[in-house]
Amino acid sequence: MLTTTEQRLTAIREWLAQHNIDALLVPHEDEYLGEYVPAHNERLHWLTGFTGSAGAAVITKDKAAIFVDGRYTVQVTKQVPAEFFEYRHLIEEPALDWIKENVEKGASVAIDPRMHSAAWLNGAQGKLAGSIELKILESNPIDDIWHDRPEPFVSDVRLMPTESVGQSSESKRAEIAELIKNSGADSAVITALDSVCWLLNIRGLDVSRLPVLLSHAILHCDASVEFFLDPARLPADFEAHVGAGLSVYHPEKLQTQLEALTGKKVLVDPAISNAWFKLILQNSGATVIGAADPCLMPKAAKNDVEIAGMKACHIRDGVAMSKFLSWLDNEVANAKLHDEATLADKLESFRKEDPTLMDLSFDTISAAGSNAAMCHYNHENQPEPGQLEMDTLYLVDSGGQYLDGTTDITRTIAIGKPSEEMIKQFTLALKGHIGVARARFPKGTRGYQIDTLARQHLWAEGYDYDHGTGHGVGHFLSVHEGPASISKKHVDVPLVEGMVLSNEPGYYRADAFGIRIENLELVVEKPTQGDFPVLAFESLTRCPIDTRNINVNMLTRPELTWLNEYHQKVWDEINPLVEGDVREWLRAATQPIVHA
């Protein structure tokens, strides 16, 4: 009897034979190219059984390979049967390289252009030119074969009043329309889900962990907008909410409306829009202008109302974190060493005490002991969750989607007595965290210029961490928001006032322990005595940093002052909102520490 995986591979190979195609490329992405893929679009999972957040598969008439990055090299072997798929590294041997080596010259490889960015398609066509033919599909074969495909989750459309977001949709559309006009375009196709929701001041829960609606929009330079969502889903006052110049279409009309842009100059972001948009527009006689989504920078620079909301939700999130960490310390003191799943569920239960919590902002990373050495560890992808053990570290990276903002926090907690080496590495990471938090920098500074501040103390000892230092965070939107970041990558986007970015240096020792310290930081302007003001970071997160992991004598006086002042702010703002054992725990956790 054929296994499920074997049956699905057989069905794909039958499709290849029927259409005289030599291979099919199946990425993890769906047509929205977002970080999170809803269950009904998990095509790679359906085909292979792989549940990771990044990957691809290639199926030929007699071979199959799955490509994952370093986060999933163990997981893929447990989920995807080796008798059917070769395991390959997504970065070291990309799918296109494997195709060139394993598919005969002159063969054809099918792709669904909705599952790849326009930038990817341009690169792929160049890479395979003269050797492999790319077949652009009009429909996805998996969609035809996937008979028990889940129905899309249809959430309520939430209208965000202007007093909650600080700017009306009409005002936003006028602002973005001016940017479109300045770029030389007549219209812009807005494909990023968070950009659409930001532009129209709406939210939903169509995608787990991301408060958006599965939709698209076309914004014209006269500020009129075409919105593509089933009209039956919209509340009666939607048109009044968005304002004049709104047209609503069923998503089935998207292609028709794109084709109506014949002769127009249309802005499309090649990095975050799928290739299908560019192909349809070009075939319809439109001129495609490849440029960044014009919503990105205005969305990233939070206004006063959004900033106030972010500050307020971080205080409430700090209450939940304090309740959890107080509970955890008490459990450990009573020799109750829980597993990672129990801990994640307990933390979520504390967050759910807040009625404004709409969802988590991502799946909680609850990592005990050596599991924390995998920086994107997920206990739900393991055969069984790990267990706390004494004299180790526990890393918990978590966050919430609240009506007034989005949170993301990582704390590394001592379980018993950490070793001297754990304390040393934690303190080096903390020094980097403080270096970023205390930074002062001129306008125009890019994130990669800040990144060195986070790594310098680890570098001095011959250590580093293999991830970025900071990512943007949205206002009740994506927890990973572009376009700015803090990392080694030379992202040419300035940090501007109102942006919210994470500050999360860490250290990971394979099979031993992992450390990360993460706060969210607001970019603010600071007056100076000099000729021009400078920018700085203001920490939004309100939760103690575990001082049991710190070698205080490795901290300079300014670093120690920052830490004590930060803990004083945590105490001042969280103390009035907690009581009993939690307040006593908070009092102890925020006590000033001094050099020996």
Side-chain angles (χ1 to χ4, degrees):
M1 183 175 177
L2 297 179
T3 65
T4 300
T5 303
E6 198 171 2
Q7 288 174 339
R8 293 172 180 177
L9 275 177
T10 300
I12 293 293
R13 288 185 169 127
E14 289 174 354
W15 179 88
L16 290 172
Q18 290 167 7
H19 293 80
N20 195 29
I21 293 173
D22 298 291
L24 174 68
L25 174 56
V26 182
H28 176 260
E29 288 77 17
D30 69 356
E31 53 265 48
Y32 300 98
L33 301 187
E35 179 180 6
Y36 301 108
V37 177
H40 72 281
N41 284 344
E42 285 277 11
R43 297 174 178 91
L44 184 66
H45 175 233
W46 174 87
L47 177 63
T48 66
F50 176 64
T51 61
S53 63
V58 178
I59 314 302
T60 73
K61 294 172 181 177
D62 56 2
K63 290 184 178 182
I66 184 166
F67 303 79
V68 301
D69 62 29
R71 293 174 291 173
Y72 300 116
T73 50
V74 175
Q75 178 181 324
V76 71
T77 63
K78 297 175 181 178
Q79 294 182 326
V80 183
E83 61 265 36
F84 301 125
F85 285 89
E86 300 176 21
Y87 306 132
R88 292 290 179 262
H89 196 286
L90 186 66
I91 310 302
E92 296 172 2
E93 186 184 5
L96 292 178
D97 289 356
W98 186 90
I99 287 169
K100 289 186 74 170
E101 292 180 8
N102 290 274
V103 178
E104 292 181 4
K105 191 172 182 178
S108 57
V109 176
I111 66 158
D112 182 342
R114 293 172 178 82
M115 310 296 124
H116 302 274
S117 72
W120 180 93
L121 180 57
N122 286 341
Q125 289 172 327
K127 191 165 195 170
L128 300 181
S131 59
I132 306 290
E133 178 192 3
L134 275 182
K135 285 266 191 184
I136 307 296
L137 299 175
E138 293 187 4
S139 63
N140 195 303
I142 289 178
D143 296 352
D144 299 328
I145 300 167
W146 190 356
H147 300 304
D148 58 348
R149 186 179 182 184
E151 289 295 318
F153 181 75
V154 178
S155 65
D156 292 335
V157 177
R158 179 182 292 275
L159 306 183
M160 302 294 288
T162 302
E163 54 266 29
S164 296
V165 294
Q167 186 180 5
S168 70
S169 175
E170 280 187 290
S171 172
K172 288 179 180 178
R173 286 186 284 122
E175 178 184 344
I176 303 304
E178 200 61 33
L179 296 176
I180 294 170
K181 202 180 300 182
N182 292 341
S183 74
D186 300 301
S187 307
V189 181
I190 310 298
T191 63
L193 298 176
D194 59 335
S195 289
V196 174
C197 288
W198 173 84
L199 184 68
L200 301 181
N201 285 344
I202 53 177
R203 301 290 189 271
L205 292 171
D206 286 5
V207 183
S208 176
R209 313 313 192 202
L210 186 63
V212 297
L213 300 155
L214 295 175
S215 58
H216 292 106
I218 302 173
L219 182 63
H220 303 287
C221 63
D222 64 357
S224 65
V225 63
E226 298 171 31
F227 180 48
F228 298 88
L229 187 78
D230 183 355
R233 296 182 60 183
L234 297 173
D237 52 348
F238 177 72
E239 289 191 22
H241 171 77
V242 175
L246 168 73
S247 302
V248 179
Y249 297 91
H250 194 280
E252 293 174 355
K253 299 292 185 182
L254 177 58
Q255 182 168 341
T256 301
Q257 295 307 114
L258 290 169
E259 290 170 342
L261 296 172
T262 301
K264 301 292 186 182
K265 295 177 181 177
V266 184
L267 188 155
V268 183
D269 190 328
I272 60 176
S273 66
N274 71 56
W276 177 84
F277 285 99
K278 183 178 181 180
L279 295 172
I280 292 296
L281 289 165
Q282 286 179 334
N283 292 340
S284 303
T287 300
V288 176
I289 297 176
D293 175 350
C295 297
L296 291 182
M297 286 297 283
K299 172 165 56 67
K302 312 296 184 285
N303 60 46
D304 290 345
V305 172
E306 292 170 320
I307 290 169
M310 292 292 272
K311 289 182 176 181
C313 76
H314 276 83
I315 291 172
R316 302 195 308 277
D317 199 69
V319 170
M321 283 295 301
S322 296
K323 288 179 178 179
F324 170 71
L325 295 176
S326 168
W327 169 85
L328 175 59
D329 273 4
N330 185 62
E331 294 292 281
V332 172
N334 288 290
K336 296 178 181 177
L337 300 177
H338 297 288
D339 66 38
E340 295 161 338
T342 301
L343 297 170
D345 290 346
K346 188 68 176 180
L347 175 52
E348 183 174 1
S349 74
F350 284 123
R351 279 200 170 96
K352 283 182 173 178
E353 292 177 6
D354 186 334
T356 70
L357 181 80
M358 297 292 103
D359 196 359
L360 300 183
S361 54
F362 54 96
D363 291 339
T364 298
I365 297 174
S366 175
S370 61
N371 288 339
M374 296 177 275
C375 60
H376 292 97
Y377 174 79
N378 187 336
H379 65 272
E380 293 181 353
N381 292 333
Q382 307 304 314
E384 57 184 44
Q387 194 93 14
L388 291 180
E389 296 179 5
M390 291 302 294
D391 302 332
T392 61
L393 297 174
Y394 168 62
L395 186 153
V396 57
D397 186 349
S398 65
Q401 292 286 6
Y402 299 90
L403 285 174
D404 52 354
T406 301
T407 68
D408 182 1
I409 173 176
T410 307
R411 288 296 182 262
T412 305
I413 307 303
I415 306 300
K417 184 175 175 56
S419 68
E420 287 187 14
E421 184 64 13
M422 293 173 184
I423 291 172
K424 172 187 172 182
Q425 299 298 342
F426 184 95
T427 309
L428 290 174
L430 176 62
K431 287 169 74 69
H433 178 96
I434 296 172
V436 172
R438 296 182 64 243
R440 300 289 185 269
F441 47 96
K443 292 181 179 181
T445 299
R446 272 60 175 163
Y448 63 82
Q449 296 171 288
I450 302 289
D451 185 73
T452 302
L453 299 175
R455 300 178 192 270
Q456 58 180 322
H457 304 287
L458 287 160
W459 282 349
E461 300 285 339
Y463 305 111
D464 201 358
Y465 50 93
D466 191 19
H467 58 74
T469 298
H471 55 82
V473 177
H475 173 258
F476 186 30
L477 277 172
S478 177
V479 74
H480 295 138
E481 178 181 81
S485 65
I486 302 174
S487 76
K488 295 177 183 178
K489 294 179 182 177
H490 281 220
V491 176
D492 191 22
V493 175
L495 305 186
V496 301
E497 191 176 1
M499 282 183 172
V500 174
L501 298 108
S502 66
N503 171 10
E504 48 183 309
Y507 176 74
Y508 309 91
R509 182 163 295 179
D511 303 318
F513 60 89
I515 292 162
R516 190 159 61 254
I517 306 162
E518 177 185 19
N519 282 356
L520 296 192
E521 311 280 357
L522 172 68
V523 180
V524 297
E525 188 175 292
K526 290 281 187 184
T528 66
Q529 295 180 345
D531 296 332
F532 60 89
V534 299
L535 298 178
F537 292 118
E538 178 185 323
S539 298
L540 298 176
T541 306
R542 292 292 182 259
C543 178
I545 294 168
D546 195 339
T547 56
R548 296 170 297 186
N549 295 330
I550 299 172
N551 179 348
V552 69
N553 292 320
M554 289 174 60
L555 298 181
T556 64
R557 288 189 182 278
E559 289 168 344
L560 186 58
T561 298
W562 179 91
L563 182 64
N564 287 332
E565 288 179 350
Y566 173 73
H567 278 158
Q568 186 63 50
K569 291 174 188 172
V570 173
W571 169 256
D572 290 343
E573 295 180 14
I574 304 300
N575 168 48
L577 303 175
V578 295
E579 55 189 23
D581 292 343
V582 179
R583 178 177 289 169
E584 291 310 306
W585 174 88
L586 185 69
R587 188 192 306 277
T590 56
Q591 283 297 301
I593 57 175
V594 297
H595 288 122

